[in-house]
Amino acid sequence: MKVLIAVKRVIDYNVKIRVKSDNTGVETANVKMSMNPFDEIAVEEAIRLKEAGKASELIAVSLGTTQSSETIRTALAMGADRGILVETDVELQPLAVAKLLKAVVDKENPDLVIVGKQAIDDDANQTGQMLAALLGWPQGTFASKFESDGDKATVIREVDGGLETITINMPAVLTTDLRLNEPRYASLPNIMKAKKKPIDTLTPDELGVDVTPRLETIKVVEPPKREAGEIVADAAALVDKLRNEAKVI
Ligand code: AMP
């Protein structure tokens, strides 16, 4: 089984996000960037399939500026075999990402594509679903368990209030949820080895995909600041405030 994994370079989840002073977006200059956490889970799942003898080759794909190759290197250091960078300076939206990934799938013919359930920067949760639709492939989204014999796969999905088990035909698109696995850290020897693994670079033009944004960002603002709390004397005072000030009871 050949597995394609999409890895996005995003602002590290530990960074306190700052909105640009002109409200056009968030500050990315001099900010620590990392692999989207759900994509680390995607890479880990692919490596486990390879370790179990089920996957033969793992290809990590990232789309974005030239620095996205650093994210591919991280995937290679974790255990992916080779990388593909689709290089562009255009800000990519989920439909463009899905079209680019479809073009890469058409070139590489993988049996499984694993993407994160969402990117923590745009929180879109759209790419995997759009990719499956464009390919006409089954999808197992929000996966917390994945098992496959190569022809079919069983996916346990995290849904509201429980877990849903589905079987799908392969090839398929899988989107990872938090409980699918715990991603490994890359060891130093593997980081060194990853430097020798190949990364091919393509462009949207070469793939024949128009990546012009379809959505315009009007404004980005900070969430409202939380106001300080107040200690009340007793329960009666609390009820009075809830009734007459907050007017919630
Ligand atoms: P989204 O639909 O934007 O929330 O992203 C869902 C998933 O699609 C991410 O977790 C990635 O696996 C993949 N993805 C989105 N954008 C990119 C990108 N620029 N490069 C690689 N993968 C991406």
Side-chain angles (χ1 to χ4, degrees), residues 138-206:
Q139 54 185 295
T141 51
F142 309 99
S144 66
K145 194 163 189 329
F146 173 80
E147 264 168 11
S148 172
D149 62 8
D151 292 328
K152 285 192 182 301
T154 303
V155 181
I156 300 185
R157 308 183 55 239
E158 305 231 354
V159 292
D160 269 357
L163 298 171
E164 179 188 50
T165 304
I166 57 168
T167 50
I168 51 176
N169 290 328
M170 301 281 280
V173 175
L174 187 72
T175 82
T176 60
D177 215 319
L178 216 51
R179 276 169 280 269
L180 184 61
N181 61 49
E182 216 171 286
R184 70 195 62 193
Y185 290 105
S187 65
L188 194 57
N190 285 347
I191 293 172
M192 301 311 287
K193 266 193 238 159
K195 295 192 173 157
K196 295 212 178 79
K197 293 184 181 176
I199 299 180
D200 286 336
T201 302
L202 297 166
T203 63
D205 273 354
E206 283 167 341

Side-chain angles (χ1 to χ4, degrees), residues 71-127:
T71 311
I72 297 177
R73 283 281 167 227
T74 306
L76 298 178
M78 285 172 75
D81 298 300
R82 63 184 170 95
I84 298 176
L85 168 68
V86 181
E87 194 174 346
T88 174
D89 289 334
V90 176
E91 180 223 313
L92 295 173
Q93 293 174 350
L95 182 59
V97 173
K99 287 180 179 171
L100 290 170
L101 289 175
K102 177 183 185 294
V104 175
V105 168
D106 289 344
K107 237 167 106 55
E108 294 286 344
N109 291 313
D111 305 284
L112 175 68
V113 179
I114 315 182
V115 307
K117 76 165 178 182
Q118 76 193 57
I120 61 166
D121 52 1
D122 63 16
D123 274 341
N125 173 17
Q126 294 173 3
T127 304

